[in-house]
Amino acid sequence: MTSTLLLPHEQLTLANAHEAAELQRYRRLALSFLPHAPQTSRLMATLGLQSEKRLDMLRQAARCLELEACVTEVPLSASNFTLDQRHFFVIDDIMGNQIIEQAVRSAAESKHFFEWLLNTNATPELHQPLVNFVREKEGECRVLLEYWEQHRASMMAQRA
């Protein structure tokens, strides 16, 4: 059985593009929740800040490997995370619940992506940053899932 190993520049390019898209997604979510649910907006903004820190870690790793070109260009389009809804802003709790649920799914996909990058890594300088990313993404999933569960419980209590 053969395993796929990615070259360092491939790892950096993929990780950078993915995390830049994550940053844009969290910024969009923070803005869309702002009028209706400021606390959710703050959570999404905080998750976006964590994405910024991960991008900085990638730049540091790229600098060590002398592969800065792989992380200097941030993709302009985050087409994987486009919102196909009628409204950009969250207009009610039902819509907010659906968007938080999608954020939970997207965070899980992101965690799996970084697990895959870690499993395809053969570069010692990238090992620890990728381990950290996986750990942080696990925490991100946990926080979003707990928040979603609280949000659903709150909605159920309001209906009763």
Side-chain angles (χ1 to χ4, degrees):
M1 184 172 182
T2 61
S3 63
T4 303
L5 294 178
L6 296 176
L7 297 172
H9 72 278
E10 294 171 319
Q11 293 263 315
L12 288 167
T13 301
L14 288 170
N16 184 62
H18 181 82
E19 199 58 33
E22 286 284 282
L23 171 61
Q24 294 306 314
R25 185 172 62 83
Y26 281 123
R27 284 180 175 169
R28 240 185 348 266
L29 288 172
L31 183 58
S32 68
F33 276 102
L34 190 57
H36 183 74
Q39 70 283 5
T40 307
S41 177
R42 283 190 296 276
L43 172 63
M44 298 304 169
T46 299
L47 294 173
L49 290 173
Q50 291 176 352
S51 287
E52 287 180 14
K53 289 179 184 177
R54 282 188 287 276
L55 287 168
D56 286 340
M57 287 175 53
L58 276 176
R59 287 185 203 103
Q60 290 172 1
R63 209 171 300 119
C64 290
L65 293 167
E66 298 180 2
L67 293 171
E68 293 98 330
C70 297
V71 294
T72 54
E73 290 186 29
V74 177
L76 297 175
S77 170
S79 60
N80 295 358
F81 303 110
T82 56
L83 298 175
D84 294 331
Q85 294 147 326
R86 284 182 33 195
H87 302 282
F88 177 78
F89 291 108
V90 173
I91 57 172
D92 59 24
D93 286 337
I94 294 170
M95 182 181 179
N97 185 60
Q98 292 170 345
I99 292 174
I100 294 169
E101 180 183 7
Q102 179 57 46
V104 170
R105 280 197 295 266
S106 294
E109 290 171 7
S110 184
K111 179 183 78 92
H112 293 304
F113 175 78
F114 280 108
E115 286 172 338
W116 173 76
L117 281 181
L118 179 61
N119 292 332
T120 60
N121 180 45
T123 308
E125 294 85 353
L126 293 178
H127 180 76
Q128 194 56 51
L130 290 173
V131 166
N132 292 346
F133 285 16
V134 169
R135 190 176 307 127
E136 289 174 11
K137 291 292 182 174
E138 287 171 349
E140 189 176 295
C141 288
R142 196 170 35 257
V143 165
L144 281 169
L145 186 58
E146 289 173 8
Y147 189 81
W148 181 46
E149 289 171 351
Q150 290 173 357
H151 188 266
R152 288 188 329 195
S154 171
M155 281 179 49
M156 296 298 197
Q158 287 177 356
R159 290 183 185 170

